Amino acid sequence: MKIGITALALFASIALGFSQKATEFHSNSWQQEVNFKIQVRLNDENQTLSAFEEIEYINKSPKTLDTIYMHLWPNAYRDSRSALAKQQYNSGKKNLYYGDMKDRGSIDSLDFKVNGVKVQWKEYQGNPDIGYFVLPSSLLPGAKVTITTPFSVKIPSGEISRLGHIDQSYQITQWYPKPAVYDANGWNMMPYLNQGEFYSEYGSFDVSITVPQNYVVAATGDLQDQSELDFLDSLVAATKINIPKFLQTKQGGKATTDFPASSKLWKTIHFKQSHVHDFAWFADKRFAVLKGAIKLPHSASTVTSWAMFVPHNTLTWQNAIEYINDGTYYYSLWNGDYPYHNVTAIDGTISAGGGMEYPNVTVIGNASSAEELEVVIVHEVGHNWFYGILGSNERVHGWMDEGINTLNEMRFVETKYPNNKRLSDMVLNGKFHLNDLDHHDMGDVMYRMLAAFGKDQAIETHSADFSSINYGAIMYQKTGLVFYYLKDYLGAELFDQCMQNYFNAWKFKHPQPQDLQRVFEETTGKKLDWFFHDLIQTTDHIDYKISKVKFNKFGKGAGVVQVKNMGKVDGPIEVNVINKDKSMNSYWVEPGQTATSISSKKDAVDYVMIDANRDIPELNRSNNYYYPNIPFFMRKQEPLALEFFSGDNEGGKNNIFWMPIIAGNSNDHTMLGVAVHNFGLGPRPTQYLIAPMYSFGRKMVSGIAEVSHTFYPENFFRSSKLGVSAKSFSTNGLTDNPRGAYFVGISPYLLLEFGKKKNNPSITRTLLIKTIARHDQWIDNSSNLILNQVGAMLSYSYLKSKADYKYSNETRLESMQHFKGNDNMLRISSATQFEFKYLRNKMDRWISVRAYIGYNLFAKSSSWIMPDKYMMSLSGAAGTQDNYLENYYFDRYNTAGMQRDDNMGGFRSTYNLLSNSWMASVNATMQLPIKPDFFVAFADFGLRPNSNSNNPVTSFVNTGLGIKISSFVGIYFPLWRSWNMSNMYANYGKEIRLTLKFNPAGKPLKLSALMK
Ligand SMILES: [Zn+2]
């Protein structure tokens, strides 16, 4: 399968939650043989298939079998009980879970007979798409049985997953009853999933397909009927003539081609194929057909290639034969010759990614350009090797097909298009300094971004346990990257020898990871645990550095480069010497070694660098340089490069990006300045953003700055970051001394995110330790107030996010100390939020309930800035609740301001409700069951102490309606509140409250947030 990668996906955030189990997998020295005969008829008026199947099951295992497990995968589409429906629901796709009956699918009319004896099948452990039956008599090793059954399939909507129809275009995949694989690890029964592929027994197929005569059918195997071959050839001839005409019609996107009426006459066509483990077919009356041939590189035998597409996609598909042929040729060249007679790609409307592979035939989803179509076709055709011929268990070791296939895809693009800029084309069209990113960099940037934030999982992870972004970024892309690194180290020739030995040893079989490792180690004579263990099975990072370069003064130009392994992967390190004449020498430091000698003279060397071509997926590349001919303190620094806006943090440059910025608030008025930062594609361990701005209200500089260093996370922390942030803005009204009122705060912090990286990152647990030193002053003709304070806080947050509910808690311990006045406080508070769906159908609606309690352990305060006070609600001046300068305000201290905060008591009202000892509140928000979904009703309930000893606690209630766009933006209209909060209708306009959070999590600035 091919997953579409968009620029957005590069920065997308994470969802889902499962856990991973470590399992030993046994090598397969034997395998079962399963041969199929199927007759099927397509009923295109009611979207069903009527079929009869005969399976010859040969027990080649050393065990006696009493039970057969059968995949009945069309039942995955039957209702909300299936693993498919649940997986899609959890990832936010609900068209099956809540789907209409007409869109759902199923398999029925099953009547299994074994050697003619009827057997009763049962559902396996609540999976409607897995069945089993007990054999009438035991199946001994070496013996065989014949299993027969009629079946009919209700074809689901093609918008759900892989099996389906869009109108009268048919994708008949995972469609027939099929025994699960029985191997050295036992039965491998698995429910059908979208995220997670398959595992099937090898055998032969003999399939007869009956359709109305004007359907064009593409399928696994060799077409047996001359009349049908003649029909296809006539379409090939017609297509060649018609292409210019098709190109005159509206192409791509929303263009359509009408379905002709189905012929009243029927035809039955036959396909046969051996040495395959699946059979799929596709039928469409609109198809144009192209035909070609490939001469294979090793055997020189010929394969017939077919491309079938709808006329409105002619623009992208007209050269599809070239893509199929080139893919088949290069995969054969590198891995071993294609062993079948036909290779076909068809244009289908598929919902499970950009394309999907089946033996001999692949289905391709909508491609936006010929360039994209070529990569998808090559990827899917490539699965004939990594899935089709080498039949690994895709569900459990998805990297063995998708990842190795991605390596071949990367290699194909760079071989055919050595100067490609595929990633640049996707990100801002390669503008600014994003102009030299190729196909390989897509994976490189994606992997390093996730790893830098501690969101990556190990390559060897069960498909269903991956977060959806890691499924693509790790299983596909990181595997491609590490195999690329291995190929670079071994050299293409030896690497190809390994792949061809693997191909020859395991073709038409079920290899396990250790089988692949054994072939590589035997072929190369090298121990490759650093690869097959460290890089495949763990999230350990690669980080190599140059520690020293010594040149021999008297010898004939020889020198020594010393390297150091700063990461946890003890792999080989490529050292490149870039000479002044631009020539480059390469040396490999073997695993465990720390130096290599080089042959260049010092004077001839421009610089020495680890991995000049960025082929090693290293997290930190800024320690890869050594410039021997410049002053010693600069030798390991990359040269500075000042560049506009942003870029790709390319190697050999210490990018400083800059851009003009404009901002404003009611005291600073307009601010104009420049932001200087190093946030680019490809994370850096040290990040900075400095944004000074001239404030026209303050008549001097306001602004923000932040510098942080991320310690690349290893096993205990997903990420850890140490930083310091600074902020200064005006707090003046229009007074005679514009420079007199402002605040400035400096906050060093440490942010730790806990978690085991093998787990899906749907639960986050973070600890933030933040200290602050701040100076606030108001000095003009009428006032002279200076506040200097220091504070520290400890905040622990827990966040769990599921499809139907979200739970979060933040517990804080906070302190503040004034320099003057000896005011101080220490308090503890806890805010818990529970959100759940109260309406669960196509219109999801949520209720959120927040509970807050805060208690001052100690407090003494005399100043009006009130660091010790709890606030349920304020008449503006929400900034007084912001002791640690976590948010931004239009008017931090102005009582006329509309802006409110979601912290402390969280009331959506203006009435001043304070306490200097404790406070508790509950805030409920309900999305109304109307469209659009941002209308809410809210209710706030609060308690605080009262000085009246007869009535020590007072309660308050506030309710109303609002518009909540997100947790960052909302506007609230209070409508009714308790009598003890005064009449609000005297001046209602002032009662409207506005939530505006510019720093959403109240956390230090994150690169990920900036990139969205
Ligand atoms: Zn794939």
Side-chain angles (χ1 to χ4, degrees):
M1 179 161 119
K2 174 81 183 167
I3 298 193
I5 300 168
T6 63
L8 201 68
L10 290 169
F11 314 114
S13 50
I14 323 296
L16 281 169
F18 296 94
S19 68
Q20 188 194 19
K21 48 186 178 293
T23 321
E24 271 295 306
F25 295 97
H26 302 280
S27 282
N28 297 303
S29 54
W30 49 266
Q31 66 191 26
Q32 306 295 62
E33 181 179 334
V34 185
N35 301 313
F36 294 85
K37 276 194 188 127
I38 308 175
Q39 295 98 47
V40 57
R41 179 187 169 102
L42 169 68
N43 310 306
D44 70 344
E45 280 168 5
N46 63 3
Q47 316 297 9
T48 60
L49 302 174
S50 313
F52 188 85
E53 173 182 59
E54 181 183 315
I55 303 168
E56 181 188 50
Y57 190 99
I58 307 174
N59 182 12
K60 294 191 164 175
S61 83
K63 305 256 173 71
T64 298
L65 299 180
D66 297 312
T67 306
I68 301 283
Y69 288 85
M70 282 285 198
H71 290 149
L72 307 168
W73 284 330
N75 270 350
Y77 302 84
R78 198 173 67 186
D79 54 39
S80 59
R81 286 197 307 133
S82 70
L84 171 67
K86 289 173 191 160
Q87 185 184 58
Q88 292 198 327
Y89 181 81
N90 285 327
S91 65
K93 191 175 172 187
K94 289 170 257 177
N95 62 349
L96 171 58
Y97 199 89
Y98 294 131
D100 294 334
M101 268 316 288
K102 71 169 177 37
D103 292 333
R104 290 176 168 180
S106 59
I107 186 166
D108 54 34
S109 312
L110 293 166
D111 182 15
F112 287 106
K113 288 186 178 136
V114 178
N115 291 340
V117 178
K118 187 179 168 69
V119 292
Q120 198 58 50
W121 74 277
K122 294 196 176 98
E123 204 175 277
Y124 172 70
Q125 289 186 353
N127 290 285
D129 56 344
I130 306 175
Y132 69 96
F133 51 77
V134 176
L135 292 165
S137 58
S138 295
L139 180 59
L140 298 174
K144 61 181 169 189
V145 286
T146 300
I147 302 164
T148 58
T149 184
F151 65 97
S152 67
V153 172
K154 178 171 177 295
I155 305 167
S157 159
E159 287 179 6
I160 296 172
S161 187
R162 301 177 182 95
L163 165 66
H165 72 94
I166 301 286
D167 206 333
Q168 286 182 323
S169 173
Y170 296 93
Q171 302 170 114
I172 309 303
T173 64
Q174 277 90 20
W175 58 286
Y176 55 92
K178 184 179 192 179
V181 172
Y182 182 74
D183 67 10
N185 300 298
W187 283 101
N188 295 265
M189 59 290 254
M190 51 184 73
Y192 178 91
L193 290 178
N194 218 50
Q195 181 182 308
E197 294 181 332
F198 311 99
Y199 187 36
S200 306
E201 301 285 16
Y202 281 96
S204 63
F205 285 84
D206 178 345
V207 180
S208 307
I209 300 170
T210 302
V211 290
Q213 262 184 9
N214 55 339
Y215 272 91
V216 182
V217 176
T220 301
D222 298 341
L223 181 58
Q224 303 294 308
D225 315 278
Q226 190 55 47
S227 57
E228 185 66 8
L229 283 164
D230 294 344
F231 171 60
L232 291 178
D233 284 339
S234 73
L235 290 173
V236 171
T239 301
K240 281 192 184 133
I241 295 164
N242 286 332
I243 279 180
K245 200 176 79 193
F246 293 154
L247 289 172
Q248 304 284 303
T249 63
K250 195 177 171 203
Q251 291 290 300
K254 296 195 172 81
T256 54
T257 303
D258 290 336
F259 288 91
S262 291
S263 168
K264 295 276 179 284
L265 300 171
W266 293 72
K267 65 182 175 188
T268 297
I269 54 182
H270 305 84
F271 291 88
K272 280 189 185 173
Q273 188 61 57
S274 59
H275 294 106
V276 289
H277 56 60
D278 200 7
F279 187 99
W281 58 282
F282 305 88
D284 199 311
K285 293 176 282 188
R286 304 165 300 170
F287 275 159
V289 182
L290 293 171
K291 186 179 180 182
I294 311 120
K295 194 171 159 199
L296 296 175
H298 301 287
S299 66
S301 58
T302 302
V303 175
T304 305
S305 52
W306 302 88
M308 302 182 179
F309 56 94
V310 289
H312 63 262
N313 286 334
T314 304
L315 188 61
T316 44
W317 275 79
Q318 56 187 325
N319 298 315
I321 287 292
E322 176 197 320
Y323 315 149
I324 300 166
N325 291 0
D326 289 351
T328 307
Y329 176 83
Y330 281 111
Y331 274 72
S332 294
L333 180 68
W334 296 326
N335 305 290
D337 272 353
Y338 187 73
Y340 309 109
H341 298 124
N342 290 281
V343 55
T344 305
I346 72 116
D347 173 13
T349 316
I350 156 155
S351 316
M356 184 66 201
E357 66 276 9
Y358 295 93
N360 310 172
V361 61
T362 66
V363 53
I364 312 295
N366 278 328
S368 58
S369 65
E371 198 181 44
E372 184 188 324
L373 180 72
E374 176 167 24
V375 176
V376 180
I377 285 184
V378 167
H379 178 102
E380 303 311 339
V381 165
H383 274 298
N384 277 295
W385 283 260
F386 307 105
Y387 148 84
I389 302 163
L390 295 153
S392 50
N393 184 334
E394 303 176 281
R395 184 67 58 90
V396 182
H397 315 291
W399 61 273
M400 292 181 75
D401 64 296
E402 295 299 355
I404 298 176
N405 194 22
T406 300
L407 164 82
N408 281 269
E409 173 196 316
M410 287 173 174
R411 217 176 150 183
F412 176 88
V413 173
E414 94 173 4
T415 304
K416 191 168 172 184
Y417 304 100
N419 300 315
N420 82 84
K421 300 274 181 284
R422 293 289 158 96
L423 179 56
S424 289
D425 296 345
M426 284 169 27
V427 186
L428 300 173
N429 258 323
K431 288 199 178 64
F432 308 109
H433 306 279
L434 297 160
N435 49 2
D436 61 344
L437 296 162
D438 63 13
H439 191 75
H440 177 271
D441 287 317
M442 288 201 268
D444 185 69
V445 169
M446 244 164 132
Y447 159 65
R448 294 195 308 129
M449 189 81 86
L450 283 159
F453 292 120
K455 301 292 186 196
D456 57 321
Q457 294 168 275
I459 287 173
E460 171 74 31
T461 296
H462 190 286
S463 293
D465 293 345
F466 271 119
S467 69
S468 53
I469 194 163
N470 280 343
Y471 189 70
I474 302 300
M475 196 176 89
Y476 287 63
Q477 299 297 331
K478 187 188 172 191
T479 311
L481 296 174
V482 300
F483 271 93
Y484 198 93
Y485 171 25
L486 182 63
K487 175 180 79 66
D488 211 34
Y489 164 59
L490 296 176
E493 203 178 322
L494 183 55
F495 183 86
D496 289 349
Q497 195 55 57
C498 293
M499 289 312 298
Q500 287 166 28
N501 288 352
Y502 173 54
F503 178 93
N504 289 324
W506 287 96
K507 66 180 166 192
F508 314 131
K509 291 183 187 160
H510 297 310
Q512 295 285 349
Q514 68 267 29
D515 302 321
L516 179 64
Q517 179 169 0
R518 197 177 306 117
V519 170
F520 266 81
E521 291 188 341
E522 282 171 9
T523 307
T524 61
K526 291 174 188 288
K527 197 88 188 96
L528 295 171
D529 276 340
W530 63 270
F531 183 84
F532 287 98
H533 179 267
D534 298 1
L535 291 179
I536 299 287
Q537 297 192 30
T538 77
T539 53
D540 288 349
H541 298 142
I542 306 172
D543 181 13
Y544 307 130
K545 84 168 197 183
I546 292 186
S547 49
K548 212 184 231 176
V549 179
K550 274 196 287 191
F551 288 93
N552 187 344
K553 277 180 188 149
F554 306 106
K556 256 218 147 188
V560 172
V561 178
Q562 288 180 6
V563 291
K564 193 169 179 198
N565 185 2
M566 307 297 286
K568 279 191 155 183
V569 178
D570 193 10
I573 305 168
E574 184 177 15
V575 172
N576 300 112
V577 176
I578 291 86
N579 298 304
K580 283 181 175 157
D581 63 3
K582 304 282 176 217
S583 67
M584 185 169 94
N585 304 98
S586 288
Y587 308 88
W588 281 91
V589 180
E590 291 291 322
Q593 304 292 307
T594 56
T596 180
S597 49
I598 59 173
S599 60
S600 302
K601 278 186 184 171
K602 184 177 179 185
D603 291 349
V605 173
D606 187 359
Y607 58 98
V608 180
M609 185 180 175
I610 289 173
D611 185 31
N613 292 325
R614 283 185 285 178
D615 294 338
I616 303 177
E618 257 193 292
L619 271 203
N620 180 12
R621 291 183 172 140
S622 53
N623 55 6
N624 285 4
Y625 306 90
Y626 188 90
Y627 296 81
N629 295 309
I630 58 173
F632 70 93
F633 57 88
M634 287 166 65
R635 278 182 192 160
K636 291 188 188 176
Q637 302 294 322
E638 299 164 89
L640 296 180
L642 189 68
E643 294 177 331
F644 178 66
F645 187 65
S646 187
D648 63 345
N649 280 329
E650 66 208 284
K653 272 187 189 177
N654 193 350
N655 306 84
I656 301 175
F657 303 117
W658 69 275
M659 55 194 190
I661 47 171
I662 181 164
N665 63 46
S666 71
N667 298 316
D668 285 293
H669 307 308
T670 304
M671 292 178 279
L672 281 177
V674 64
V676 176
H677 67 94
N678 71 342
F679 295 175
L681 267 192
R684 297 234 153 186
T686 301
Q687 293 173 339
Y688 57 83
L689 166 69
I690 299 161
M693 292 172 281
Y694 181 78
S695 156
F696 287 92
R698 188 175 167 188
K699 304 213 185 304
M700 62 176 290
V701 172
S702 288
I704 58 168
E706 173 146 354
V707 181
S708 69
H709 185 83
T710 300
F711 296 91
Y712 284 118
E714 294 296 344
N715 294 330
F716 188 61
F717 297 121
R718 280 183 178 277
S719 71
S720 52
K721 184 170 171 180
L722 187 63
V724 57
S725 65
K727 253 184 211 174
S728 180
F729 290 105
S730 172
T731 52
N732 205 2
L734 286 173
T735 66
D736 52 352
N737 182 9
R739 295 184 180 181
Y742 66 90
F743 72 88
V744 55
I746 297 181
S747 263
Y749 65 84
L750 174 67
L751 181 67
L752 301 172
E753 188 179 335
F754 301 93
K756 290 206 176 88
K757 294 217 292 166
K758 66 178 187 182
N759 294 340
N760 186 313
S762 73
I763 294 176
T764 53
R765 294 182 289 140
T766 51
L767 181 69
L768 174 65
I769 301 167
K770 189 171 178 179
T771 58
I772 191 163
R774 60 183 277 195
H775 168 85
D776 290 62
Q777 71 168 50
W778 292 266
I779 298 176
D780 64 10
N781 290 338
S782 57
S783 63
N784 185 345
L785 174 63
I786 294 178
L787 282 171
N788 289 316
Q789 320 174 64
V790 290
M793 72 132 132
L794 198 67
S795 158
Y796 179 77
S797 315
Y798 177 96
L799 173 69
K800 183 175 183 174
S801 191
K802 293 284 190 185
D804 289 334
Y805 70 92
K806 292 173 200 152
Y807 170 84
S808 67
N809 172 269
E810 187 191 5
T811 300
R812 283 184 171 213
L813 191 65
E814 302 175 4
S815 71
M816 264 302 178
Q817 169 78 45
H818 284 199
F819 282 127
K820 286 181 188 167
N822 206 22
D823 288 352
N824 48 33
M825 68 90 171
L826 177 67
R827 73 166 161 235
I828 187 161
S829 63
S830 176
T832 300
Q833 184 149 325
F834 185 70
E835 291 173 72
F836 63 95
K837 269 186 203 164
Y838 77 91
L839 260 189
R840 279 179 55 174
N841 50 37
K842 283 175 188 163
M843 187 161 86
D844 288 336
R845 290 294 180 267
W846 292 76
I847 286 177
S848 90
V849 180
R850 174 181 179 274
Y852 173 82
I853 184 155
Y855 180 75
N856 278 354
L857 302 165
F858 183 85
K860 176 175 174 292
S861 171
S862 50
S863 74
W864 68 270
I865 194 168
M866 303 177 287
D868 65 316
K869 293 283 193 296
Y870 288 100
M871 291 138 205
M872 210 172 280
S873 150
L874 275 176
S875 57
T880 44
Q881 288 167 246
D882 187 36
N883 282 333
Y884 298 90
L885 301 177
E886 291 162 274
N887 205 352
Y888 295 90
Y889 300 88
F890 279 120
D891 206 340
R892 184 168 278 264
Y893 296 123
N894 187 347
T895 53
M898 282 175 72
Q899 196 177 350
R900 63 177 285 278
D901 252 348
D902 259 333
N903 61 9
M904 295 194 185
F907 264 47
R908 286 153 277 200
S909 72
T910 55
Y911 187 68
N912 279 326
L913 279 176
L914 312 176
S915 159
N916 54 10
S917 57
W918 65 270
M919 178 169 284
S921 71
V922 175
N923 315 102
T925 310
M926 176 175 143
Q927 275 185 326
L928 298 177
I930 53 174
K931 283 185 181 170
D933 65 359
F934 50 63
F935 293 108
V936 296
F938 67 85
D940 302 317
F941 174 76
L943 297 172
R944 65 155 188 184
N946 194 346
S947 52
N948 179 348
S949 58
N950 292 330
N951 185 14
V953 177
T954 316
S955 63
F956 302 88
V957 178
N958 175 53
T959 61
L961 295 170
I963 292 169
K964 187 177 176 185
I965 309 292
S966 71
S967 53
F968 316 137
V969 182
I971 179 161
Y972 297 95
F973 303 89
L975 292 178
W976 180 87
R977 66 193 191 192
S978 50
W979 62 271
N980 53 4
M981 289 174 69
S982 82
N983 173 19
M984 63 182 160
Y985 289 102
N987 191 352
Y988 185 76
K990 286 199 164 179
E991 299 290 334
I992 300 164
R993 302 279 80 193
L994 186 69
T995 305
L996 263 183
K997 277 198 161 197
F998 299 97
N999 195 3
K1003 298 245 171 70
L1005 196 63
K1006 270 197 174 185
L1007 176 63
S1008 55
L1010 203 84
M1011 284 295 192
K1012 267 174 201 155

